């Protein structure tokens, strides 16, 4: 329980830190471009929207920084992230709402798959040391050094050569309207295959290596020898004893790895024009769409924090040492 | 038998150390302060040219006493006097005062492998010790001579062979000798040896103990020998002090304390050492002879017999009231449960004392 | 009692297990480290890249920015890696770009490692509020996703050059190493040799610098390499996305133009393949060196030749590295009892 509370408190603190960083970033932009953009749009936006932008970017020079901060927090609690310049007149929140599910789906599914594959392979390679499987290691190392987006480019060119058997851009066919029918879902999955495969191939290596190292360390421990000596079947020893313990650092490292995965996924979305948050962010940067940039950073960070928190809960369930009281 | 009183080098009076306990959960909100009573009211004296032994089981607080005397952490209360001069509390915090103190009082650790930094060789360890205390001389030649001298004193010769070695290349006994040499580099007056031979092979222990005795005589050191093995205390030490659960329970000449233990806990310790002679005789000696000679007059023994060999030392966070040994003591009386026994004289020489109500009013 | 029993008290020296007499351990260790096949491969590759980076302009066959009439040509004798849409030689671009890549990578790695060491070791050694807050700060930086943050900051800061990029990357990626170092320092601080050095009278700075830090070298080296890998990947990603200010012909920039000029639909695979391969190769080399460090520190991780032997009853028993072999006795018949 204590572990849980401490982690929870930590995440609350980090969320606050993220929000504060988010507050300061736009104020670092030299030359105050936001005011210029807002001025240019005077006639087209309502005064409410002007007000929310003012709070977000500190356009009102008369207010002290502290007051700006308070106003900013207050506005955030209402869920108002301002108006997106590039997708005018859509508010940032609606842009995010349409893009977020795609990214969540992509990252969620690929992370689970690559975690599962990488961990299982890592168990096998770590268990059967000294066999030919060790030859896999240099290969996976090479694969994991490849930048995600480059792998995406390769995938695109392969598919291009092979005659477009998989769609290489977009989240769905341009003609379709997003809805919950089978046709759309099937199409969406089809479009998501290439990006997903890219991410899985690029990230499996990392999981494999860390799992293998942990397996190697764990199998040298005495309790594994005892399990062997007791006469337990190989499978039982591997799964019930060795892997169970070797898994713990992977779970706790999951959160940290997630940050990398998010970054890589953004670039993959860019390559495949997949309509997720990553693509939105990169486009927003190109278009100087500051409200959107700020909103995306905030949402992404909070989402990563939430995922970390879930991973910590999983760790809490897996490792009995954390449940020890006092 | 009585030699002229030797000079008191290091003295502790009423030494107490309480460690604060981190409060968990709901207790964090309460105001009560919980502490681990690691050491309570310890008096001891280290005399020049003599070995004083501190005997106790794990958790009795003896290592804490050593670290307090070495000023590695500050005491909660009590006095420590070096040659009669009290050492201020701030000494433990470091700085020049600490360095001046540790030049005269050095500590040897229990685990010879852990007490040497694995990335530095013997020469580095000893040179640093010499340099810090200003005994490295000027120039390489004098340094080499000083190093050779040190190694020679701990009987690691030829010096050249050992200077370049790393700790993992030495045997346990050699490492402990290097640790002793490092302590000697400061040219101390008092040597605090915290279980110096516990982690060495039994066949090596004698060698290291003999080395310590040899050094004591040649350099006229005052040695505090901490151990859980009362037999080695008898062999090596002049005075034996017994600790239990953070308090001292018995003290006196080593021969007397080990051969005629007074306090029930000491008797337990002595009994626990396997003795082939005793295995043949049936009953424990405690029921009849031995301590009962003095204790017989005090009533309420209630069932003669050896102390319960099992049982565990008490929690130091909330130690039992009165005598801390009373939950395990076969001679427990009502008074033991409520009042802490003071040091009471045992026998007629005045040297031997025990903190046990059994000896109330027994003094000759 | 004199030292009469000298025979007992003089410790007999142990057999010389190390086999090389009194050679300093560090020298021997270094040799053992280098003999590892993985490490040598990695170091050789890195060395090649370093040479290319230093020599850069001089060994490139063409000026990478120079246009020519050989538009979008595939790899051939004249242009080993082919040409771009305006006839620039890709091979030269890759070579010239190496310098920027390595510089930013190493600089960012250095910045991150220094910051990580200072914060990590300090928060591990000290106790109290200062240490706790340092630890909280590093945890915060670990969790916040780095790439979005870096992209945003580099876009926001004006006139970013190589140094700025390196600084930004370094200042956002130090946390991981700091946490590792903090954990190690915490465990080291409790060890007897630190207490013993303190009891000898060492000052705090010497304790941290000479007693604790030397025991952390493997971790520091490993974390440095990891950070360089991350920095290289990140700066290339930045260039790919179009962050301005990175010096010309960074490998990511090559990919940026390739993407922008629709190399893929035109089938000009030679445009982006070399740059990516170089990145992967560089990363692999760094990983190999990292493996070497890991295996050096933790001998259990070494993957050596397998060994098998015949047990007394004729069966083959395979020795698996890291395991104590457990051999089951074959079931005996009744007549074999006695």
């Amino acid at each position: 329980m204590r572990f849980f509370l401490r982690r929870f408190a930590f995440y609350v603190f980090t969320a606050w830190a993220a929000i504060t960083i988010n507050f300061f970033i736009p104020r670092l932009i030299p030359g105050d471009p936001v005011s210029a953009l807002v001025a240019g749009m005077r006639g087209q936006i309502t005064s409410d929207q002007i007000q929310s932008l003012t709070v977000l970017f500190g356009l009102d020079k008369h207010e002290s920084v502290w007051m700006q901060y308070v106003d900013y927090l207050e506005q955030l609690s209402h869920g108002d992230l301002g108006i997106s310049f590039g997708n005018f007149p859509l508010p940032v929140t609606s842009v995010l709402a349409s893009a977020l599910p795609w990214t969540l789906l992509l990252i969620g599914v690929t992370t689970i798959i690559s975690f599962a594959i990488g961990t299982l392979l890592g168990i096998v390679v770590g268990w059967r040391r000294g066999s030919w499987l060790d030859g896999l290691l240099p290969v996976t190392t090479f694969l994991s050094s490849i930048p995600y987006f480059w792998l995406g480019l390769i995938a695109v060119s392969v598919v291009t050569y092979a005659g477009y058997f998989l769609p290489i851009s977009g989240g769905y066919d341009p003609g379709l309207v997003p809805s919950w029918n089978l046709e759309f879902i099937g199409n969406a999955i089809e479009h998501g295959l290439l990006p997903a495969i890219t991410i899985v191939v690029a990230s499996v290596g990392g999981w494999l290596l860390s799992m293998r190292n942990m397996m190697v360390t764990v199998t040298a421990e005495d309790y594994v020898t005892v399990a062997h000596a007791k006469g337990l079947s190989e499978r039982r020893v591997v799964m019930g004893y060795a892997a169970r313990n070797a898994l713990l650092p992977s779970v706790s490292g999951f959160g940290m790895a997630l940050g990398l995965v998010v970054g890589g996924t953004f670039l993959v979305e860019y390559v495949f024009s997949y309509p997720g948050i990553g693509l939105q962010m990169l486009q927003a940067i190109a278009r100087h769409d500051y409200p959107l940039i700020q909103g995306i950073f905030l949402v992404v960070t909070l989402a990563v924090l939430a995922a970390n928190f879930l991973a910590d809960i999983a760790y809490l369930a897996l490792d009995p040492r954390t449940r020890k009281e006092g | 038998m009585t030699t002229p009183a030797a000079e008191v080098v290091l003295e502790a009076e009423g030494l107490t150390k309480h460690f604060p306990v981190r409060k968990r959960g709901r207790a964090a909100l309460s105001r009560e302060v919980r502490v681990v009573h690691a050491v309570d009211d310890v008096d001891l004296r280290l005399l020049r040219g003599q070995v004083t032994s501190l005997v106790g089981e794990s958790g009795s607080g003896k290592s804490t006493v050593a670290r307090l005397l070495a000023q590695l952490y500050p005491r909660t209360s009590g006095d420590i006097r070096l040659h009669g001069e009290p050492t201020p509390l701030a000494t433990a915090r470091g700085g020049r005062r600490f360095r001046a103190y540790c030049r005269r009082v050095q500590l040897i650790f229990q685990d010879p492998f852990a007490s040497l930094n694995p990335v530095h060789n013997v020469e580095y360890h000893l040179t640093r010790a010499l340099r810090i205390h200003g005994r490295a001389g000027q120039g390489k030649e004098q340094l080499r001579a000083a190093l050779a001298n040190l190694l020679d004193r701990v009987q690691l010769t030829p010096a050249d062979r050992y200077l370049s070695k790393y700790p993992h290349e030495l045997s346990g006994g050699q490492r402990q000798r290097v640790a002793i040499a490092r302590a000697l580099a400061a040219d101390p007056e008092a040597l605090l040896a915290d279980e110096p031979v516990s982690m060495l092979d039994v066949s090596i222990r004698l060698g290291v103990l003999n080395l310590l005795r040899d050094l004591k005589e040649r350099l006229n050191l005052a040695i505090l020998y901490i151990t859980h093995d009362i037999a080695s205390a008898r062999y090596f030490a002049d005075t034996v002090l017994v600790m239990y659960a953070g308090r001292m329970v018995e003290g006196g000449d080593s021969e007397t304390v080990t051969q005629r233990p007074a306090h029930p806990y000491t008797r337990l310790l002595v009994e626990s050492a396997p003795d082939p002679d005793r295995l043949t005789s049936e009953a424990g000696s405690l029921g009849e002879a031995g301590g009962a000679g003095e204790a017989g007059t005090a009533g309420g023994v209630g069932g003669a017999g050896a102390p319960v060999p099992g049982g565990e030392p008490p929690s130091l966070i909330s130690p039992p009231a009165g005598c801390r040994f009373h939950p395990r003591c076969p001679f427990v009386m009502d008074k033991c449960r409520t009042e802490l026994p003071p040091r009471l004289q045992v026998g007629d020489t005045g040297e031997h004392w025990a903190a046990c109500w059994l000896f109330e009013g027994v003094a000759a | 009692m004199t030292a009469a029993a000298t025979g007992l008290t003089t410790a007999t020296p142990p057999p010389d297990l190390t086999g090389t007499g009194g050679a300093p351990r560090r020298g021997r260790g270094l040799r053992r480290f280098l003999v590892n096949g993985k490490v040598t491969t990695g170091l050789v590759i890195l060395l090649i890249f370093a040479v290319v980076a230093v020599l850069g302009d001089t060994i490139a066959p063409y000026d990478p920015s120079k246009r020519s009439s050989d538009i979008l040509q595939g790899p051939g004798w004249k242009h080993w890696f082919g040409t771009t849409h305006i006839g620039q030689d890709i091979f030269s671009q890759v070579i010239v770009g190496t310098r920027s890549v390595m510089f930013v990578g190493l600089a960012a790695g250095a910045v991150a490692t220094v910051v990580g060491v200072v914060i990590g070791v300090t928060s591990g050694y000290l106790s109290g509020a200062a240490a706790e807050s340092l630890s909280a700060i590093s945890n915060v930086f670990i969790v916040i996703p780095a790439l979005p943050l870096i992209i945003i900051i580099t876009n926001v800061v004006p006139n970013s050059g190589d140094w700025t990029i390196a600084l930004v990357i370094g200042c956002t990626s130090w946390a991981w190493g700091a946490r590792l170092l903090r954990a190690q320092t915490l465990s080291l601080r409790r060890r007897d040799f630190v207490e013993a050095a303190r009891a000898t009278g060492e000052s705090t700075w010497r304790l941290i610098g000479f007693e604790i830090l030397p025991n952390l070298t493997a971790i520091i080296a490993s974390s440095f390499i990891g950070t360089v890998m991350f920095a290289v990947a990140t700066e290339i990603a930045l260039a790919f996305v179009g962050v301005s200010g990175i010096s010309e012909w960074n490998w990511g920039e090559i990919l940026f133009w390739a993407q922008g000029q629709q190399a893929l639909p035109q089938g000009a695979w030679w445009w982006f393949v070399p740059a990516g391969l170089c990145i992967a190769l560089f990363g692999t080399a760094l990983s190999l060196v990292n493996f070497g460090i890991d295996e050096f520190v933790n001998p259990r991780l070494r993957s050596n030749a397998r060994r098998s032997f015949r047990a007394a009853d004729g069966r083959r028993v395979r020795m698996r590295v890291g395991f104590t072999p457990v051999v089951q006795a074959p079931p005996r018949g009744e007549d074999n009892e006695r």
Side-chain angles (χ1 to χ4, degrees):
Chain A
M1 193 55 181
R2 195 167 148 258
F3 177 76
F4 175 80
L5 286 176
R6 267 183 61 183
R7 296 309 289 166
F8 183 71
F10 166 69
Y11 285 116
V12 168
F13 175 70
T14 313
W16 169 81
I19 293 176
T20 313
I21 293 180
N22 206 26
F23 170 76
F24 277 111
I25 288 184
R27 283 152 181 80
L28 296 174
I29 307 176
D32 203 7
V34 186
S35 301
L37 285 165
V38 169
M41 294 196 229
R42 270 277 146 194
Q44 303 165 348
I45 52 182
T46 69
S47 48
D48 283 344
Q49 294 166 336
I50 295 184
Q51 176 57 25
S52 80
L53 285 174
T54 310
V55 169
L56 279 180
F57 294 101
L59 300 177
D60 184 353
K61 299 306 169 204
H62 301 299
E63 272 195 340
S64 71
V65 179
W66 175 247
M67 277 311 297
Q68 290 180 17
Y69 185 57
V70 169
D71 288 340
Y72 168 74
L73 288 178
E74 195 190 1
Q75 180 162 311
L76 271 190
S77 60
H78 293 299
D80 179 3
L81 290 169
I83 303 291
S84 157
F85 290 161
N87 298 309
F88 190 81
L90 287 176
V92 167
T93 33
S94 65
V95 174
L96 288 179
S98 63
L100 200 51
W102 294 98
T103 306
L104 280 182
L105 207 59
L106 191 59
I107 291 190
V109 170
T110 53
T111 308
I112 294 178
I113 294 180
S114 53
F115 179 77
I117 296 181
T119 310
L120 278 173
L121 282 182
I123 293 178
V124 171
V125 175
W127 188 252
R128 300 208 165 285
R129 281 197 48 217
S131 66
W132 61 272
L133 282 170
D134 272 354
L136 267 188
L137 290 176
V139 174
T140 27
T141 316
F142 185 72
L143 281 180
S144 67
S145 313
I146 298 182
Y148 287 23
F149 64 90
W150 188 75
L151 207 54
L153 292 175
I154 298 279
V156 168
S157 66
V158 162
V159 165
T160 311
Y161 266 164
Y164 290 103
F165 60 91
L166 275 178
I168 58 168
S169 87
Y172 49 91
D173 278 342
L176 288 179
V177 172
S179 54
W180 282 109
N181 58 16
L182 212 54
E183 188 198 352
F184 178 73
I185 293 180
N187 194 271
I189 292 181
E190 215 188 356
H191 279 267
L193 270 182
L194 265 191
I197 292 177
T198 311
I199 300 178
V200 168
V201 169
S203 54
V204 153
W207 295 116
L208 202 164
L209 287 171
S210 73
M211 190 62 184
R212 178 234 173 207
N213 284 352
M214 265 319 288
M215 276 299 282
V216 164
T217 310
V218 160
T219 48
E221 304 260 355
D222 283 341
Y223 58 83
V224 172
T225 313
V226 169
H228 258 146
K230 280 201 285 191
L232 294 176
S233 72
E234 182 104 354
R235 187 143 157 255
R236 191 69 194 279
V237 178
V238 170
M239 286 306 176
Y241 289 75
R244 174 96 192 270
N245 282 277
L247 199 57
L248 293 175
S250 286
V251 173
S252 72
F254 183 88
M256 296 198 311
L258 199 59
L260 298 173
V261 172
V262 162
T265 308
F266 280 13
L267 298 169
V268 167
E269 286 182 8
Y270 179 66
V271 167
F272 287 100
S273 302
Y274 196 75
I277 289 216
L279 186 65
Q280 286 293 339
M281 184 171 94
L282 294 170
Q283 287 175 344
I285 289 181
R287 293 192 287 219
H288 299 294
D289 190 348
Y290 295 105
L292 191 54
I293 297 177
Q294 207 183 17
I296 289 181
F297 177 71
L298 190 63
V299 167
V300 165
T301 309
L302 290 180
V304 168
L305 286 182
N308 267 290
F309 189 50
L310 290 176
D312 277 350
I313 293 184
Y315 189 82
L316 187 70
L318 285 176
D319 188 357
R321 287 173 291 190
T322 53
R323 287 179 242 139
K324 183 183 67 148
E325 292 292 351
Chain B
M1 179 194 99
T2 45
T3 50
E7 181 194 344
V8 175
V9 173
L10 188 59
E11 189 177 15
E13 192 175 322
L15 196 57
T16 306
K17 179 68 183 169
H18 293 164
F19 291 103
V21 175
R22 274 179 92 177
K23 299 184 219 159
R24 303 263 158 101
R26 219 173 299 146
L29 300 169
S30 71
R31 287 203 159 260
E32 57 161 318
V33 173
R34 295 173 83 213
V35 290
V36 176
H37 302 266
V39 174
D40 265 322
D41 200 24
V42 162
D43 293 346
L44 57 77
R45 278 200 196 151
L46 299 181
L47 304 169
R48 193 181 277 290
Q50 290 200 13
V51 179
T52 307
S53 166
L54 195 52
V55 178
E57 57 190 46
S58 311
S60 56
K62 46 194 205 306
S63 287
T64 314
V65 168
R67 278 160 174 72
L68 286 174
L69 289 175
Q71 300 286 355
L72 285 181
Y73 31 74
R75 57 194 184 272
T76 309
S77 68
D79 284 327
I80 298 181
R81 287 191 281 272
L82 186 57
H83 280 297
E85 283 197 30
T87 27
L89 268 176
T91 315
R93 238 175 279 142
R96 213 176 321 141
R97 227 179 309 193
F98 174 70
R99 227 166 304 149
Y101 182 87
C102 77
R103 180 188 301 207
R104 300 159 86 182
V105 178
Q106 276 288 318
L107 178 60
I108 300 174
F109 289 77
Q110 176 177 359
D111 184 351
F113 193 27
S115 68
L116 297 175
N117 195 333
V119 302
H120 291 310
N121 60 12
V122 170
E123 180 173 356
Y124 177 86
H125 282 107
L126 297 181
T127 311
R128 282 307 303 159
L130 285 171
R131 281 243 160 84
I132 292 175
H133 299 287
R135 303 193 47 235
Q138 313 280 5
K140 271 176 84 167
E141 273 314 308
Q142 292 192 3
L143 178 61
R144 284 225 155 255
L147 289 173
N149 189 12
L150 269 183
L151 285 174
D152 183 58
R153 265 198 225 160
V154 294
Q155 291 155 7
L156 286 179
T157 50
D160 291 327
R161 197 200 301 199
Y162 293 100
L163 280 177
S164 54
K165 287 252 195 290
Y166 286 86
H168 68 277
E169 294 168 342
L170 301 171
S171 73
Q174 290 171 329
R175 288 180 211 137
Q176 199 62 304
R177 285 166 195 267
V178 170
I180 295 175
R182 177 172 59 179
L184 291 179
D187 200 17
E189 298 170 14
L191 207 55
L192 312 170
D194 185 1
E195 302 207 43
V197 295
S198 302
M199 297 196 70
L200 300 177
D201 289 340
V202 174
S203 48
I204 308 286
R205 288 186 194 178
L206 194 59
V208 175
L209 283 182
N210 284 340
L211 170 67
L212 285 174
R213 173 182 306 203
D214 186 46
L215 289 170
K216 170 198 83 171
E217 279 162 16
R218 273 204 281 149
L219 305 173
N220 226 357
L221 297 170
I223 298 188
L224 177 68
Y225 174 60
I226 297 182
T227 182
H228 59 265
D229 175 14
I230 202 168
S232 69
R234 176 183 171 204
Y235 171 78
F236 184 50
D238 302 304
T239 320
V240 168
L241 303 166
V242 182
M243 271 188 86
Y244 179 76
R247 301 196 65 92
M248 307 202 61
V249 296
E250 185 165 352
D253 181 69
S254 59
E255 201 62 29
T256 322
V257 173
T258 51
Q259 295 304 98
R260 292 188 295 281
H263 194 282
Y265 175 66
T266 320
R267 290 189 227 171
L268 173 61
L269 276 184
V270 172
E271 286 280 298
S272 308
D275 180 2
D277 298 331
R278 220 179 32 215
L279 283 177
T280 52
S281 64
E282 250 1 293
S285 56
L286 290 172
E288 26 186 29
E294 290 112 31
T297 49
V301 168
V308 181
E312 281 180 11
S315 150
L316 289 176
I317 297 182
S318 40
C323 171
R324 291 189 183 177
F325 187 60
H326 84 252
R328 292 164 79 177
C329 186
F331 306 112
V332 59
M333 307 178 289
D334 285 329
K335 193 171 192 185
C336 305
R337 294 185 224 270
T338 48
E339 287 182 49
L340 200 59
R343 299 180 176 205
L344 299 167
Q345 192 179 332
V346 175
D348 36 5
T349 53
E351 293 273 340
H352 188 187
W353 61 266
C356 180
W357 288 119
L358 289 173
F359 300 99
E360 193 177 17
V362 176
Chain C
M1 186 157 146
T2 63
T6 323
L8 282 173
T9 54
T10 309
T12 47
D16 197 2
L17 306 160
T18 52
T20 51
R25 173 196 191 240
R26 215 168 278 137
R28 254 199 342 270
L30 206 55
R31 213 181 315 141
R32 189 160 46 118
F33 177 65
L34 290 176
V35 150
N36 189 337
K38 295 197 188 79
V39 173
T40 26
T41 321
L43 285 178
V44 162
I45 297 180
L46 287 178
L47 202 61
I48 296 179
F49 275 114
V51 165
V52 169
V54 167
L55 295 181
D57 296 329
T58 43
I59 58 174
Y62 301 85
D63 175 0
S65 321
K66 183 163 160 240
R67 304 172 176 225
S68 74
S69 50
D70 305 321
I71 303 209
L72 271 190
Q73 280 194 357
W77 269 123
K78 202 163 162 214
H79 301 276
W80 288 6
F81 283 175
T83 57
T84 69
H85 70 298
I86 44 177
Q88 298 160 326
D89 179 34
I90 295 178
F91 183 62
S92 310
Q93 291 178 346
V94 170
I95 290 197
V96 170
T98 311
R99 178 183 302 178
S100 154
V101 168
M102 284 201 70
F103 172 74
V104 173
L106 289 174
V111 167
T113 306
V114 165
V115 174
V117 166
V118 167
I119 293 190
V121 174
T122 314
S123 78
Y125 189 78
L126 300 175
S127 50
E132 292 291 323
S133 42
L134 282 179
S135 162
I137 293 179
S138 12
N139 282 337
V140 165
F141 269 94
I142 288 180
V143 169
I144 293 185
L147 192 59
L149 187 58
I150 294 178
I151 292 183
I152 293 178
I153 294 184
T154 43
N155 268 286
V156 151
V157 169
N159 309 322
S160 37
D162 271 358
W163 264 115
T164 326
I165 306 275
L167 217 60
V168 170
I169 298 181
C171 289
T172 45
S173 51
W174 54 266
W176 182 69
R179 176 154 119 169
L180 225 57
L181 284 169
R182 174 172 193 262
Q184 271 301 97
T185 309
L186 275 177
S187 89
L188 276 180
R189 199 183 92 198
R190 303 259 175 278
R191 299 254 289 253
D192 272 354
F193 66 80
V194 174
E195 287 283 291
R198 193 154 74 95
T200 312
E202 292 271 34
S203 64
T204 313
W205 293 118
R206 279 209 73 111
L207 278 177
I208 296 184
F210 286 86
E211 302 290 331
I212 294 188
L213 225 45
N215 282 290
L216 296 173
T217 39
I219 296 190
I220 295 179
S222 178
S223 127
F224 173 73
I225 291 181
T227 313
V228 170
M229 276 199 277
F230 173 77
V232 166
T234 309
E235 61 157 326
I236 291 186
L238 287 178
F240 177 65
V241 171
V243 169
S244 63
I246 306 188
S247 55
E248 284 207 286
W249 306 125
N250 182 298
W251 298 340
E253 182 116 355
I254 302 178
L255 293 174
F256 170 76
W257 285 109
Q259 166 87 333
Q261 296 303 319
Q262 303 295 316
L264 302 167
Q266 299 185 47
W269 58 270
W270 58 86
W271 201 342
F272 60 88
V273 165
L277 279 182
C278 282
I279 303 171
L281 209 56
F282 191 68
T284 310
L286 288 172
S287 290
L288 288 176
V289 176
N290 221 353
F291 279 159
I293 297 181
D294 271 348
E295 288 180 4
F296 182 68
V297 167
N298 184 0
R300 290 193 205 131
L301 289 176
R302 295 186 194 152
S303 38
N304 292 324
R306 55 202 166 292
R307 273 169 231 134
S308 60
F309 66 94
R310 286 196 182 280
D313 52 358
R315 288 181 303 154
R316 277 191 89 87
V317 174
R318 199 161 67 102
M319 293 279 291
R320 300 221 310 251
V321 186
F323 281 93
T324 310
V326 172
V327 183
Q328 281 185 333
R332 293 187 185 198
E334 282 296 334
D335 14 281
N336 289 351
E337 232 22 279
R338 281 164 247 20

